[in-house]
Amino acid sequence: MNETTTPIAWLDFTVLLSPTRRGARLARLLTVAELGSRGLPTESVAQVVGELAANAALHGRVPGRSFRLRVRTADASGLVRVEVSDTRSERAPDAASPPEPSAAEAESGRGLLLVAALSERWGVTYGPSPCKTAWAEIALPAGTALTGSRSAATRWPATSRA
């Protein structure tokens, strides 16, 4: 079978968001828009962004401090790297041990299980103090090639609300 490659633009976008449910939702929506503008599949990456951003808003929230979302393709490895940084390094998941499933009746506690299932690998890095970054690398579909086009955000017309 002959595989064809679909060229996509290098991706590297960063945004600061409020550590709220609305900020976590916006992180997911912005990721879908950015990936979609490049013709990339959005479902798995958007799910991982949603989970990591929700954790930053819930567990990493410090009043008056934002969390940072970065989504990028670092090289031609076929991976999209998602990084969510907040300022609560003392409240970090243990990436060395697999997340434990929650009780069947629990309403939360499955986010990192989803991240682990959807990503090739994930983890947490620390620094500069007091920050931590939860990250995950998600595989792009086979046959996806990267090109050097500029970000979709720079192509969108600026709008103002009066």
Side-chain angles (χ1 to χ4, degrees), residues 134-155:
W135 58 268
E137 293 177 341
I138 302 98
L140 292 172
T144 305
L146 300 173
T147 65
S149 180
R150 66 183 182 180
S151 168
T154 62
R155 292 190 306 264

Side-chain angles (χ1 to χ4, degrees), residues 25-114:
R25 181 174 181 269
L26 185 55
R28 184 182 174 119
L29 292 172
L30 289 171
T31 300
V32 167
E34 195 70 26
L35 294 175
S37 72
R38 289 173 166 75
L40 290 173
T42 61
E43 189 172 333
S44 293
V45 177
Q47 185 70 39
V48 169
V49 166
E51 295 300 337
L52 294 180
N55 284 350
L58 180 63
H59 304 294
R61 184 171 198 269
V62 173
R65 299 224 176 154
S66 301
F67 72 88
R68 178 182 309 274
L69 167 67
R70 183 178 187 194
V71 180
R72 65 189 171 111
T73 52
D75 54 30
S77 65
L79 296 173
V80 173
R81 184 175 173 100
V82 172
E83 300 172 354
V84 177
S85 303
D86 64 51
T87 54
R88 295 285 303 266
S89 62
E90 77 279 3
R91 297 193 69 184
D94 182 11
S97 62
E100 294 293 322
S102 298
E105 65 277 354
E107 293 182 15
S108 64
R110 295 176 187 82
L112 290 178
L113 284 172
L114 287 171

Side-chain angles (χ1 to χ4, degrees), residues 112-135:
L112 290 178
L113 284 172
L114 287 171
V115 170
L118 294 171
S119 61
E120 297 297 310
R121 59 189 161 269
W122 72 280
V124 179
T125 56
Y126 297 91
S129 188
C131 296
K132 75 171 178 299
T133 299
W135 58 268

